[in-house]
Each structure stands twice: as structure tokens, then as C-alpha cells.
């Protein structure tokens, strides 16, 4: 194959027109007098439209025009050349074309400018690369700052994480301890309750069988019965803490219950303690054993009175409350989130320190002098509230007083007040030879039950 060498020869004009960069020449005032085809293609204009009708500055963005007039033109006039100047050209279709311009000024023998020769390079890829490079640099700098901050706060965050973990472990240990104490207390109280039932029953049998005129024996039996009743009260409190006491939950209006206790509380608190009740409007109904709730409030009031030996103020407040998931997650014991009825008992007494607050619900723990308290009041409150599917919290500070908050679940459903049934007096039912089967694994308790039923006229079969 023969190649025509003449066909390979390109003229200077052809090289100018098809160069990979844009060439244009302008008069000293900026009017474009020549441009190659590459430049025309980039900006989308015809040669006739551009040559002699447009200035180079007319093709620039607003910011580019300002720079051209204030910096580019004076610097070119001063030194006769200027390189690597970034501009944005506004093309015929409106889109922006980033370019780099190198300019040389041709002058006559007298040094007067004749023409400006501008070489324009398409900087689209370069701008993209520069943006990516800038972004990468910014990310690297941000990563460096983050790493520095991470290193600076590492010790603090580790200490905080360890503290939170220790706090969670301590809360778990406290919950496990309370559960273990509750199981132990419940077992002891159950066995002790059986023994008390035998003692009380046999004292009652003795009282019924004592002959007329045995006054000394009757008084001795009465004293024994009083002592067993006090022991039974302690047992009931232990059962309350272990959540094994028999409850009779009913729909209750807590506002009505608190208002009804006002006279009792004032007599209990004495003259040196001022009682204030703040009853929330539109209070939801709850479901709990009303008698046990009264006992709980009374126990809290008595404890508050003892914490204010020189007098003070006791406030009982009710309100609607919502415990959200973020709040209940902080507790080791399970507390379902939801709507609750709040009963808060606050005093202005001596308050307590953190170590005391951690043990305040334990049975037999008391800060009172020996003989002035059993240490079962708050444990009974704790057991009753937990057995009622509620939650109890204590807030206290030395010298500032104490607030104990009881949360009872809201009762969903009818808001109608249940009709109160008149109390019935217990009636001793006499038997007429009917057969009763007694099943009891405690021999002494079974023996007492059998004997009591036989006294009432029943025929008894017993089984262990």
C-alpha cells in the first residue's frame, strides 16, 4: 500500500483550527478578532456571531467579569503576560464551561499593546479532580480531627462506660438481693404464720373452755392473744414485702381515698407537722387493694413524721404519669412502660444519704433507735406496690427532705364507681353432723383445725 506523503502534511491553519485547546486573539480593548474552531465548538457560537462583536469579558460569568476588570487586565498591562487564570465561560446554551487561560500581549516597537493572544484549556476534568481532591482532603482533615478528639476523650469515655456498667451491675445486684431477701422472708413468714395460726387457735379453744370464775387464767389467755396478734401483724408485713400477702384489688379513686384519710393523717402527724394535699384534676382510676394503699400512705406519713422531730410540712400529691421506655430501662427490676397513677409523699425532714436509700426497702432495716421501729414499714410499702404491678421510687437529700413516689397502673375500661357493699359481721356457723375433709401437711395445724371443727359440731376426716 502506497501512502501519499502529501496527504499527511497539515497546514499551519489546519493545526490552528483543530488544536486540542482554544485559541483566540483580542484587541487591547478585549474585542475578539480571531478564534479557532475548537473554541467556537466549546462555546457553541458561529464565527460571524463572535468575531468583531464580542469581547472576551462578555463570555465570562459575573464574577469572572469583575476579576477581569479589576485584576486580569491591569496585571496583563503591567507585565505583558498572565498564566493559569481560572474562568467560567458562559456558552451559547447557558451552561458554564470551566477553563484555564494563558495570555500574552503583543506590543509594537514603542511598547504599545497591539493584540492579546489567549490560549484556553478545557478545565472540566481538572475542576472535577480538584473538587474530589479537596473533598478527600477535607475528609482526611475531619478524620484527623475526629481521631484527635477521640484520643483526647478516650480516657473520659472509658471511665464513663465503666461507671455506667458498674451502675447497671450494682442495680442488678440490688434487685437480686431484694428478690433473694423476699424469697427468704416469704418462706419464714409462711412457716411463722402457720405456727401463729396454731397458737391463736389453741388460745381461742382455751378461752372457750375456761370455766367460769377463772379470771387469772382468762387474763393470761388475753395477754397471750394480744401478743400473738402483734406477731401476726409483723408476719403480715413480711408477707407484704415478699409479695405473698392476700390482696383484694378493686377499682379505686385515689383522690377520694387520700381525701378520706385527711383526718386520720392529721391526728397521726400531730400539731407540729402541717399536712397539705395536692389532688390532680382528671385523675385516672387505678386498681389496687384500697386497705393496703391506705396502710402504705399511712406508713409513709409516719416515717415522714419521725423524720421531722421539730415539725415541718408533709405533702401528699396525686397526678397522672407516663413512664416511657427510656425511663424504665434504667431500672434492674422489670417495670413496664405505660400510664400510671402517681401518689407522692414528700416531707421537709432530715433526709437520707445514698447508702441509706439503697437499703431503705429492706425488711428490718431502720435508722431509728432500738425499740422505736421494726424496719418493716417501707418494706411493706415496697412489697404491696410491686405485688400490685406498680413501681416505687425514693428521692432524698440530707437536710432537704424526702419524696417517695408510688406508681400504680392506670385502670383501663369503665370509670364507673363500684357500689360499696355493706360490711357483714362474721357469723360462727355451727355444724349438724356434716362431714368435712381437712387436708393439711402441717400436723399441728391440722390437729388444731380438726379439733376446732369438731367443737363446732362437724364430723371430720383428716389427711396429710
Amino acid at each position: 500500500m502506497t501512502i501519499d506523503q502529501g496527504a499527511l502534511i497539515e497546514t499551519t491553519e489546519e493545526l490552528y483550527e483543530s488544536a486540542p485547546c482554544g485559541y483566540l486573539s483580542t484587541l487591547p480593548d478585549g474585542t475578539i478578532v480571531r478564534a479557532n474552531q475548537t473554541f467556537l465548538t466549546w462555546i457553541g457560537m458561529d464565527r460571524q456571531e463572535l468575531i468583531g462583536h464580542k469581547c472576551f469579558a462578555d463570555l465570562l460569568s459575573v464574577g469572572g467579569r469583575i476579576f477581569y476588570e479589576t485584576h486580569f487586565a491591569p496585571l496583563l498591562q503591567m507585565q505583558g503576560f498572565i498564566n493559569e487564570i481560572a474562568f467560567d465561560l458562559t456558552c451559547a446554551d447557558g451552561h458554564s464551561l470551566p477553563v484555564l487561560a494563558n495570555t500574552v500581549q503583543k506590543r509594537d516597537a514603542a511598547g504599545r499593546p497591539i493584540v492579546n493572544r489567549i490560549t484556553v484549556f478545557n478545565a472540566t476534568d481538572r475542576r472535577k479532580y480538584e473538587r474530589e481532591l479537596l473533598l478527600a482532603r477535607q475528609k482526611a482533615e475531619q478524620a484527623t480531627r475526629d481521631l484527635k478528639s477521640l484520643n483526647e476523650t478516650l480516657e473520659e469515655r472509658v471511665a464513663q462506660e465503666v461507671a455506667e456498667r458498674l451502675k447497671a451491675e450494682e442495680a442488678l445486684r440490688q434487685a437480686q438481693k431484694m428478690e433473694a431477701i423476699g424469697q427468704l422472708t416469704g418462706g419464714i413468714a409462711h412457716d411463722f404464720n402457720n405456727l401463729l395460726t396454731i397458737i391463736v387457735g389453741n388460745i381461742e379453744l382455751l378461752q372457750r373452755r375456761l370455766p367460769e370464775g377463772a379470771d387469772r387464767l382468762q387474763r393470761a389467755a388475753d395477754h397471750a392473744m394480744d401478743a400473738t396478734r402483734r406477731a401476726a401483724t409483723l408476719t403480715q408485713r413480711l408477707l407484704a414485702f415478699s409479695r405473698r400477702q392476700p390482696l383484694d384489688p378493686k377499682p379505686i379513686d385515689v383522690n377520694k381515698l387520700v381525701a378520706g384519710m385527711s383526718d386520720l393523717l392529721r391526728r397521726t402527724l400531730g400539731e407540729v407537722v402541717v399536712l397539705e394535699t395536692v389532688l390532680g384534676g382528671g385523675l385516672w382510676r387505678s386498681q389496687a387493694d384500697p386497705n393496703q394503699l391506705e396502710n402504705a400512705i399511712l406508713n409513709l406519713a409516719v416515717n415522714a413524721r419521725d423524720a421531722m422531730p421539730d415539725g415541718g410540712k408533709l405533702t401528699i400529691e396525686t397526678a397522672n404519669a407516663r413512664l416511657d421506655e427510656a425511663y424504665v430501662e434504667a431500672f434492674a427490676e422489670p417495670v413496664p412502660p405505660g400510664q400510671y397513677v402517681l401518689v407522692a409523699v414528700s416531707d421537709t425532714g432530715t433526709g437520707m444519704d445514698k447508702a441509706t436509700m439503697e437499703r431503705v426497702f429492706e425488711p428490718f432495716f431502720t435508722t431509728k433507735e432500738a425499740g422505736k421501729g421494726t424496719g418493716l414499714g417501707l418494706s411493706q410499702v415496697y412489697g404491696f406496690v410491686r405485688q400490685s404491678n406498680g413501681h416505687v421510687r425514693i428521692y432524698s437529700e440530707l437536710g432537704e427532705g424526702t419524696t417517695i413516689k408510688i406508681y400504680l397502673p392506670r385502670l383501663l375500661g369503665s370509670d364507673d364507681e363500684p357500689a360499696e357493699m355493706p360490711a357483714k359481721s362474721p357469723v360462727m356457723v355451727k355444724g349438724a353432723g356434716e362431714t368435712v375433709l381437712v387436708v393439711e401437711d402441717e400436723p399441728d395445724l391440722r390437729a388444731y383445725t380438726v379439733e376446732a371443727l369438731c367443737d363446732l359440731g362437724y364430723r371430720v376426716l383428716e389427711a396429710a
Side-chain angles (χ1 to χ4, degrees):
M1 180 178 177
T2 303
I3 299 176
D4 183 2
Q5 294 297 326
L8 298 178
I9 298 174
E10 295 184 90
T11 65
T12 304
E13 188 67 20
E14 288 175 336
L15 291 173
Y16 174 81
E17 291 292 339
S18 60
C21 55
Y23 290 122
L24 64 155
S25 300
T26 71
L27 298 176
D29 64 0
T31 302
I32 299 174
V33 294
R34 190 176 184 187
N36 70 344
Q37 186 58 47
T38 301
F39 184 79
L40 295 171
T41 302
W42 284 352
I43 63 174
M45 291 186 181
D46 295 332
R47 198 179 301 271
Q48 294 79 9
E49 181 184 0
L50 183 67
I51 303 302
H53 300 287
K54 297 283 187 181
C55 292
F56 180 65
D58 296 337
L59 304 178
L60 303 179
S61 62
V62 175
R65 292 176 193 174
I66 296 174
F67 180 81
Y68 182 90
E69 294 175 359
T70 58
H71 292 77
F72 184 87
L75 187 59
L76 180 62
Q77 180 66 29
M78 182 189 307
Q79 63 184 21
F81 69 92
I82 185 168
N83 296 325
E84 295 287 324
I85 301 300
F87 287 116
D88 286 329
L89 298 180
T90 303
C91 302
D93 60 2
H95 84 273
S96 181
L97 176 68
V99 297
L100 289 175
N102 292 340
T103 306
V104 176
Q105 192 173 69
K106 182 180 179 182
R107 302 181 181 184
D108 60 15
R112 292 186 297 270
I114 302 173
V115 66
N116 297 330
R117 293 171 178 166
I118 304 175
T119 304
V120 180
F121 298 95
N122 189 330
T124 301
D125 293 336
R126 177 168 174 171
R127 289 279 184 90
K128 180 180 178 182
Y129 169 74
E130 288 176 347
R131 284 195 297 270
E132 292 175 351
L133 187 62
L134 177 60
L135 182 61
R137 181 177 178 180
Q138 290 174 344
K139 289 182 177 179
E141 291 175 349
Q142 182 62 43
T144 302
R145 289 193 295 269
D146 292 344
L147 181 60
K148 182 180 179 181
S149 176
L150 191 66
N151 290 332
E152 290 175 349
T153 61
L154 180 60
E155 183 177 353
E156 179 183 350
R157 288 185 296 104
V158 169
Q160 183 179 359
E161 181 70 22
V162 170
E164 291 178 356
R165 186 165 297 182
L166 290 176
K167 181 179 179 181
E169 290 175 355
E170 180 62 28
L172 179 59
R173 283 195 295 270
Q174 179 71 10
Q176 291 173 337
K177 180 180 73 173
M178 294 293 283
E179 187 67 26
I181 294 175
Q183 292 178 359
L184 175 63
T185 303
I188 294 174
H190 175 73
D191 293 341
F192 192 48
N193 200 47
N194 285 342
L195 296 176
L196 282 175
T197 302
I198 298 169
I199 296 171
V200 170
N202 282 284
I203 292 175
E204 289 178 344
L205 290 176
L206 285 174
Q207 287 177 323
R208 287 201 297 269
R209 294 178 181 179
L210 283 175
E212 294 289 339
D215 295 338
R216 291 184 61 186
L217 293 176
Q218 186 65 48
R219 285 195 298 272
D222 290 342
H223 291 324
M225 183 61 77
D226 289 340
T228 54
R229 288 197 182 102
R230 290 197 298 272
T233 300
L234 293 177
T235 305
Q236 188 67 22
R237 290 185 174 183
L238 290 173
L239 287 172
F241 171 75
S242 62
R243 309 173 211 172
R244 296 185 184 181
Q245 66 174 335
L247 295 180
D248 184 18
K250 299 176 182 177
I252 53 173
D253 182 342
V254 177
N255 277 351
K256 184 177 179 181
L257 182 142
V258 172
M261 294 182 64
S262 296
D263 291 340
L264 171 63
L265 291 171
R266 286 190 173 89
R267 290 195 301 270
T268 303
L269 296 173
E271 296 180 355
V272 295
V273 177
V274 177
L275 173 65
E276 181 181 1
T277 56
V278 182
L279 305 181
L283 192 69
W284 297 324
R285 297 177 64 76
S286 183
Q287 180 161 308
D289 188 320
N291 292 328
Q292 293 301 325
L293 180 56
E294 287 182 351
N295 286 338
I297 295 174
L298 187 59
N299 272 327
L300 296 180
V302 170
N303 275 357
R305 178 200 63 189
D306 295 342
M308 298 183 287
D310 299 325
K313 182 179 180 180
L314 176 71
T315 304
I316 301 178
E317 182 180 1
T318 63
N320 296 327
R322 176 176 177 80
L323 304 184
D324 57 23
E325 293 183 357
Y327 177 81
V328 301
E329 281 179 356
F331 307 125
E333 58 186 18
V335 179
Q339 296 175 327
Y340 289 80
V341 176
L342 167 66
V343 182
V345 179
S346 304
D347 64 63
T348 58
T350 55
M352 59 187 79
D353 56 23
K354 183 179 179 181
T356 303
M357 283 194 293
E358 290 176 351
R359 300 190 57 194
V360 74
F361 292 123
E362 295 179 13
F364 301 114
F365 175 79
T366 179
T367 56
K368 299 176 184 177
E369 298 177 8
K372 291 190 176 182
T374 61
L376 289 174
L378 288 179
S379 63
Q380 183 180 9
V381 173
Y382 175 85
F384 157 68
V385 174
R386 295 297 294 157
Q387 191 175 356
S388 302
N389 300 317
H391 172 57
V392 59
R393 290 285 285 167
I394 183 167
Y395 304 88
S396 187
E397 187 175 340
L398 284 175
E400 300 296 330
T402 301
T403 296
I404 296 181
K405 294 184 177 182
I406 294 175
Y407 296 89
L408 296 174
R410 177 187 181 184
L411 175 63
L412 300 176
S414 174
D415 287 338
D416 296 336
E417 182 81 20
E420 295 187 4
M421 301 298 293
K424 295 182 179 179
S425 299
V427 178
M428 185 70 73
V429 179
K430 293 287 186 177
E434 296 94 335
T435 300
V436 176
L437 173 63
V438 174
V439 183
E440 170 59 50
D441 60 350
E442 178 66 41
D444 293 337
L445 181 58
R446 185 171 68 250
Y448 154 69
T449 306
V450 169
E451 188 170 357
L453 289 171
C454 288
D455 279 357
L456 292 173
Y458 294 98
R459 178 173 174 269
V460 182
L461 302 177
E462 59 177 296

